[in-house]
């Protein structure tokens, strides 16, 4: 898998890894912020619950005092006893009750005052010193918590166990007034630092607080809080471009809501600062990463891609391509080296092409010069000897000899076809048949004669068959050239009825024509030259193949691949 990672995939992987890292950091930061916020909210809830527990204790304490003094015998029998006492004793009795209800105030900061009111006589005893303190007692109709003039009272009535259904039957009322200032001081235990504030909301109408409460928060709280004594409720408000979270706890006995509200922005300022630093860092990392990727792309990947593209063009044969880019980095020298290399290759191929053309022409000239001069002498002597006795033979010899040498002298590597090469071989065989007892046969299927092939391939093999085969076996005189179509090429079979070759001689001949250098001397050099040209032009399958035939002579097999379209190549 690693081997398949190219440069483009590396860039994609780098971008993916960068985004993944930034995403993970973002998630961790978000989770951390959320955890801190939840911790702060839970801390506020714990403070609120703690304050509620204190208020519950105060409520229980006030209720307990109310019940205690309602059932106290000195209070129960006070009215009946003072009728039989003198004024002094009656006052002492009253002072005794005052002392008894004043004792709890010495140890409790939550109780502001305790009072007892006997309705029949209108007698009122209280730890307070204000005459108007009696007014709330006159209107009491049942026991329980009541709000009077922004103050909280717990009223207990007698008879206590069986409370009278008719308020007129109430004998006396014991009232315990809570200290509002103490309740206000408790609010400090419910807040979470200077960014928080708290207040009591009694009956959703009376506000108890030692600080100024935001009126908008107060109105929203009245509209949203619900009487749920079991849970601490949380609300989120957005007021005056500020975010708040509000906690409320309903204290059922006194029908009061303990409400705290916290300005999130102040509480979360350190966290917001940390987030801003984090996001700026992430942005800087992202920008640096993108700059690195861009620089990598411009200075490396794009140059590598350009170099690869140019190499592909060179591979396709476009040796004139050059790299015009001039980067100010290590690729500058690399591009210069590439241009220099391609220029040298172009020059080399141009020189090679010229040398190849020169070699072809030189080879043709060499092949033309290799024509046996004795063949020409013998032909001329034949014409001289037959001039008087057989003019017809002279005409035939002259015609074929002229066509034969005209083909050789005007031969061009690009003009040779299978048909023209067979015509050359036919002229040669016709000349030989006039001077010697030679019988020949040429078979060319229709449609194959127009295919281009290498020049001077067939005639030298025919000449070799006559000189080293037919002439060295008495009675031999037959030679044939058969052409057979084969897929995209043709098979050329040249056979004679000469002396043939022994197995050892055939192996030696095959080894001679396949060696890298031409054989020494003149014997075998013609077949070596033909074999090398065939292999270079048509591949190793086109080399000469030798085998003895049914006539006792030698057969030579050649394969020409027309699909290569290199008929003129030497």
């Amino acid at each position: 898998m690693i081997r398949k990672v190219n440069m483009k995939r590396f860039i994609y992987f780098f971008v993916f890894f960068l985004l993944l890292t930034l995403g993970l950091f973002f998630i961790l930061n978000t989770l951390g912020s959320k955890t801190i916020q939840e911790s702060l909210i839970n801390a506020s809830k714990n403070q609120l619950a703690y304050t509620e527990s204190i208020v519950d204790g105060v409520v229980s304490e006030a209720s307990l005092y109310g019940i205690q003094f309602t059932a106290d015998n000195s209070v129960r029998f006070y009215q009946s006893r003072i009728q039989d006492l003198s004024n002094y004793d009656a006052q002492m009795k009253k002072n005794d009750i005052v002392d008894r209800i004043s004792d709890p105030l010495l140890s409790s900061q939550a109780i502001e005052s305790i009072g007892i009111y006997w309705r029949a006589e209108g007698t009122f005893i209280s730890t307070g010193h204000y005459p108007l303190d009696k007014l709330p007692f006159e209107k009491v109709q049942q026991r329980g918590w009541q709000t009077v003039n922004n103050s909280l009272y717990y009223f207990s009535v007698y008879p206590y166990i069986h409370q009278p259904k008719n308020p007129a039957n109430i004998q006396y009322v014991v009232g315990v007034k809570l200290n509002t200032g103490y309740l206000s001081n408790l609010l400090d235990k419910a807040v979470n630092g200077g960014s928080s504030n708290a207040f009591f909301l009694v009956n959703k109408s009376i506000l108890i607080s030692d600080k100024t409460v935001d009126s908008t928060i107060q109105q929203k709280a009245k509209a949203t809080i619900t009487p749920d004594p079991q849970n601490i409720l949380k609300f989120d408000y957005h007021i005056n471009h500020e975010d708040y979270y509000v906690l409320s706890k309903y204290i059922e006995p006194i029908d009061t809501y303990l409400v705290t509200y916290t300005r999130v922005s102040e509480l979360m300022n350190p966290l917001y600062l940390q987030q801003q630093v984090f996001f700026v860092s992430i942005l800087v990392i992202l920008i640096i990463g993108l700059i690195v990727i861009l620089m990598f792309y411009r200075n490396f990947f794009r140059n590598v891609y350009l170099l690869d593209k140019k190499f592909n063009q060179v591979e396709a044969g476009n040796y004139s391509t050059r790299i015009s880019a001039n980067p100010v980095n290590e690729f500058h020298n690399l591009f210069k080296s590439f241009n220099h290399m391609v220029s040298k290759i172009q020059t080399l191929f141009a020189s090679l092409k010229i040398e190849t053309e020169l070699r072809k022409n030189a080879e043709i000239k060499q092949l033309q010069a290799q024509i046996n001069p004795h063949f020409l002498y013998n032909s001329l002597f034949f014409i001289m000897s037959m001039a008087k006795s057989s003019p017809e033979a002279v005409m035939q010899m002259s015609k074929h000899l002229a066509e034969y040498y005209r083909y050789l002298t005007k031969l061009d590597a690009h003009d040779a076809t299978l048909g023209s090469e067979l015509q050359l071989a036919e002229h040669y065989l016709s000349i030989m048949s006039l001077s010697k007892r030679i019988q020949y046969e040429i078979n060319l299927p229709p449609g194959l004669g127009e295919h281009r092939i290498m020049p001077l391939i067939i005639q030298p093999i025919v000449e070799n068959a006559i000189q080293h085969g037919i002439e060295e076996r008495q009675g031999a005189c037959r030679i044939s050239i058969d052409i057979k179509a084969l897929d995209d090429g043709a098979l050329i079979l040249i056979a004679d009825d000469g002396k043939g070759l022994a197995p050892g001689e055939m192996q030696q001949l095959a080894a001679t024509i396949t060696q890298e250098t031409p054989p020494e001397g003149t014997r075998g050099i013609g077949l070596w030259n033909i074999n090398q040209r065939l292999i270079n032009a048509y591949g190793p399958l086109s080399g000469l193949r030798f085998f003895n035939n049914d006539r006792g002579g030698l057969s030579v097999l050649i394969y020409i691949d027309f699909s290569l379209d290199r008929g003129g190549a030497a």
Side-chain angles (χ1 to χ4, degrees), residues 380-538:
L380 293 176
F381 283 131
F382 176 81
I383 292 173
M384 293 174 59
S385 63
M386 300 296 292
K388 295 181 178 180
S389 62
S390 180
E392 181 67 25
V394 172
M395 291 180 62
Q396 290 292 328
M397 175 66 76
S398 299
K399 174 185 176 183
H400 290 295
L401 192 61
E403 293 290 342
Y404 179 78
Y405 278 102
R406 183 174 68 173
Y407 183 84
L408 291 179
T409 55
K410 295 184 178 181
L411 180 62
D412 189 284
H414 297 284
D415 294 333
T417 63
L418 182 57
S420 65
E421 285 292 293
L422 290 176
Q423 286 180 358
L424 177 65
E426 185 177 6
H427 290 310
Y428 177 79
L429 289 171
S430 297
I431 293 171
M432 296 301 296
S433 65
L434 289 173
S435 60
K436 297 181 181 182
R437 193 170 62 88
I438 298 294
Q439 299 178 5
Y440 67 89
E441 180 182 5
I442 300 176
N443 298 314
L444 175 64
L448 292 182
E450 300 300 323
H451 287 286
R452 295 170 56 238
I453 67 169
M454 295 175 58
L456 297 179
I457 294 295
I458 300 176
Q459 187 273 337
I461 297 177
V462 173
E463 182 179 352
N464 187 79
I466 293 175
Q467 291 180 358
H468 301 287
I470 293 176
E471 291 184 352
E472 294 187 6
R473 181 181 179 185
Q474 188 173 1
C477 63
R478 297 176 60 187
I479 187 169
S480 63
I481 304 175
D482 292 312
I483 311 299
K484 293 183 179 180
L486 182 64
D487 297 332
D488 293 330
L491 288 177
I492 302 175
L493 180 63
I494 303 171
D496 62 71
D497 61 350
K499 72 167 187 175
L501 294 175
E505 294 175 329
M506 192 175 298
Q507 292 178 1
Q508 183 179 0
L509 178 60
T512 299
I513 66 173
T514 55
Q515 63 186 12
E516 294 183 359
T517 58
E520 296 181 357
T522 59
R523 187 174 181 85
I525 192 172
L527 293 179
W528 180 89
N529 193 358
I530 293 172
N531 186 69
Q532 293 298 319
R533 293 169 63 206
L534 286 171
I535 292 175
N536 291 335
Y538 304 112

